[in-house]
Amino acid sequence: MSIATVNPASGETLKTYEAMDEEEIERRLQLAEATFRTYRTTTFAERARMLTRAADLLDEEQEEIGRVMTTEMGKPVKQARAEAAKCAKAMRWYAEHAEGLLADEEPAESDVKDSGASRALVRYRPLGPVLAVMPWNFPLWQVVRFAAPALMAGNVGLLKHASNVPQTALYLEDLFHRAGFTEGCFQTLLIGSGAVDDILRDERVKAATLTGSEPAGRAVASTAGEMIKKTVLELGGSDPFVVMPSADVERAADVAVTARVQNNGQSCIAAKRFIVHTDVYDAFAERFVAGMRALKVGDPMREETEVGPLSSERGRADLEELVDDARRGGADVLCGGERPDGPGWYYPPTVLAGITREMRIHREEAFGPVATLYRAADLDEAILIANDSLFGLSSNVWTRDENEVDRFVRDLEAGGVYVNGMTASHPALPFGGVKRSGYGRELSGHGIREFCNITTVWHGA
């Protein structure tokens, strides 16, 4: 597999890298194991000092790393800078809160006295080297939301990043080193996906986290299950965006545009299926389509660009196949739907209506700026359509009716329900999904405890 920076705005290969050989991989595994033995004994204050320094460096280098990300995967440079800022914020949040999140927990003495204990407590201890298999779409954020809690918990990290963002991957390793973490605390492995299985089988690797495709998740989960190792998986999403009659329809339509095309539409938590009550369907559709059509598509390095190219030629072809299949099945193309002429892997913001269950785009994730519109007769049908998906990452609902909110929160099959707003990840809130969107949680206290040995400590009388 090629490990290279290929500019998606031009298709030009800018840098290539040789994959690490078995000897170098072994050296890094040995270093991770040896480093963990001492790093696990550092204090929260020491870890927090280094992580805060990493956040400071990231803020200082926001412009530089932002341009690297845009060059490697095509997101508008304004969004790339915002991603770097978000990562720094998450680092500081964990630096400040990790000690409290992992503090010893002591049950009431009356609850454990019949066990014969004079004292009992729960302590969170680190597991060891954790392998992170990460995607290209948020090349900094996906890694930091693993690395910040893992490092604060006392684990060490091994990063297998997507092969089209090698410069970002190497920057992350260098960032943590410059912040004061020793070399073995966080290492980037420049390897192809074929090398992951052997590394995961290595006894020195204690757990794994993966954000990516469903097939990749199955492969990692299968090997980890065979080796009896903990995993956290964040896979695809086809999030519903439900609009009910009581909603502020104009605001919902405006937010819907951003919710669909953030990161050029290449986000697991981007809203993809827009389910609108029939009473407000026409008003929503008119404003939504107009907003999608008005987006500025172009060079992602330009400040005014709102939608850049897709990350790869294969990604664009996959998206085109979904649109063409829907068109052949009778879907209405309300805007977009045609590949533009010229260099780069661009695809226009597209809205499809008249979707049926037989169309691939109803079942599969559209990873790009393509939205599907559904008409719902009532609340029950809206929930039925929203849940008619193999995925269950997040959801968005727009209503001012508190009874409807209660129904959505109770009945939507998703890891998150965002009411009158757009799904977004935040350090203080758990993030993850159900069904084929994966399992486990990132971020918040739930995320930092995923890779801890939850230890019962019992003292006799």
Side-chain angles (χ1 to χ4, degrees):
M1 173 181 283
S2 172
I3 300 176
T5 297
V6 181
N7 188 340
S10 65
E12 180 186 4
T13 299
L14 302 178
K15 285 189 177 183
T16 59
Y17 297 82
E18 290 294 323
M20 292 176 177
D21 58 22
E22 291 184 4
E23 182 178 346
E24 178 61 13
I25 293 170
E26 172 60 23
R27 185 188 75 81
R28 288 176 178 249
L29 287 172
Q30 288 181 11
L31 182 60
E33 182 184 44
T35 300
F36 174 66
R37 295 193 199 106
T38 54
Y39 181 69
R40 67 191 300 274
T41 66
T42 57
T43 65
F44 283 109
E46 290 173 299
R47 299 169 199 167
R49 175 180 53 78
M50 293 185 286
L51 194 60
T52 300
R53 176 58 180 153
D56 293 342
L57 289 170
L58 190 51
D59 277 337
E60 293 168 10
E61 296 160 5
Q62 194 179 105
E63 179 67 28
E64 173 191 343
I65 187 56
R67 295 180 72 84
V68 170
M69 286 190 284
T70 294
T71 299
E72 291 201 303
M73 55 71 58
K75 73 173 72 228
V77 71
K78 285 196 300 185
Q79 295 180 27
R81 289 197 298 267
E83 181 175 338
K86 183 174 184 175
C87 290
K89 177 181 178 180
M91 289 177 180
R92 292 191 179 95
W93 191 87
Y94 272 109
E96 179 181 350
H97 293 283
E99 184 170 10
L101 295 171
L102 299 180
D104 289 350
E105 297 174 5
E106 295 198 36
E109 184 178 337
S110 59
D111 288 338
V112 296
K113 65 181 181 180
D114 61 350
S115 73
S118 62
R119 182 186 176 215
L121 59 90
V122 176
R123 177 161 295 172
Y124 294 96
R125 298 187 293 158
L127 289 178
V130 180
L131 174 65
V133 182
M134 293 287 115
W136 48 263
N137 58 334
F138 291 95
L140 271 188
W141 173 241
Q142 303 279 12
V143 178
V144 166
R145 74 186 194 191
F146 146 73
L151 289 169
M152 283 305 301
N155 295 302
V156 301
L158 295 162
L159 170 64
K160 188 282 181 224
H161 217 325
S163 294
N164 61 332
V165 290
Q167 292 186 68
T168 306
L170 292 170
Y171 171 83
L172 282 158
E173 180 181 78
D174 182 60
L175 175 71
F176 287 117
H177 293 174
R178 286 185 289 126
F181 291 97
T182 58
E183 183 186 359
C185 285
F186 186 92
Q187 300 179 83
T188 286
L189 305 177
L190 287 183
I191 56 176
S193 56
V196 170
D197 191 74
D198 284 345
I199 294 171
L200 187 51
R201 290 179 183 279
D202 194 291
E203 293 295 345
R204 291 166 292 191
V205 174
K206 302 304 182 186
T209 180
L210 176 141
T211 299
S213 69
E214 193 180 329
R218 281 200 193 97
V220 165
S222 176
T223 297
E226 184 180 339
M227 300 304 295
I228 316 179
K229 294 182 180 181
K230 176 69 178 290
T231 53
V232 170
L233 302 182
E234 193 265 279
L235 309 178
S238 190
D239 290 2
F241 188 106
V242 183
V243 183
M244 299 299 288
S246 66
D248 180 338
V249 175
E250 289 189 358
R251 181 166 173 263
D254 292 344
V255 172
V257 173
T258 303
R260 184 62 202 97
V261 302
Q262 60 175 312
N263 208 48
N264 302 340
Q266 299 166 123
S267 170
C268 296
I269 57 169
K272 299 183 176 79
R273 298 176 296 133
F274 296 83
I275 302 160
V276 186
H277 191 283
T278 188
D279 290 353
V280 292
Y281 180 92
D282 291 339
F284 176 90
E286 181 180 3
R287 190 174 182 94
F288 179 54
V289 171
M292 291 284 279
R293 189 180 283 123
L295 289 163
K296 295 180 177 66
V297 180
D299 182 353
M301 287 295 185
R302 297 179 67 88
E303 293 294 321
E304 65 269 23
T305 295
E306 295 169 297
V307 180
L310 298 187
S311 70
S312 69
E313 189 171 15
R314 179 69 257 173
R316 181 172 68 174
D318 289 344
L319 194 65
E320 284 181 307
E321 289 173 10
L322 290 180
V323 173
D324 291 345
D325 173 80
R327 183 187 279 118
R328 287 192 300 270
D332 298 316
V333 182
L334 304 185
C335 69
E338 297 293 339
R339 176 195 291 205
D341 295 329
W345 299 313
Y346 291 90
Y347 196 80
T350 298
V351 181
L352 304 176
I355 304 301
T356 67
R357 298 188 79 248
E358 292 71 34
M359 297 173 186
R360 287 179 54 201
I361 202 165
H362 178 76
R363 305 185 304 273
E364 300 177 28
E365 180 180 21
F367 218 58
V370 175
T372 52
L373 268 175
Y374 297 78
R375 188 189 296 265
D378 53 27
L379 173 65
D380 289 334
E381 186 176 21
I383 292 172
L384 187 67
I385 296 170
N387 287 339
D388 188 22
S389 172
L390 295 173
F391 300 105
L393 192 53
S394 190
S395 61
N396 311 256
V397 298
W398 289 75
T399 176
R400 294 189 178 105
D401 185 325
E402 287 302 318
N403 290 327
E404 289 180 348
V405 171
D406 290 343
R407 277 288 309 279
F408 283 123
V409 172
R410 187 191 75 182
D411 293 343
L412 286 179
E413 298 167 354
V417 180
Y418 286 70
V419 181
N420 297 327
M422 186 180 87
T423 296
S425 52
H426 186 280
L429 298 173
F431 181 86
V434 296
K435 301 196 285 190
R436 293 193 185 178
S437 288
Y439 53 74
R441 291 295 180 267
E442 297 176 289
L443 302 176
S444 76
H446 297 278
I448 197 172
R449 297 184 194 108
E450 287 281 7
F451 297 117
C452 286
N453 175 356
I454 303 171
T455 308
T456 296
V457 181
W458 184 94
H459 293 263

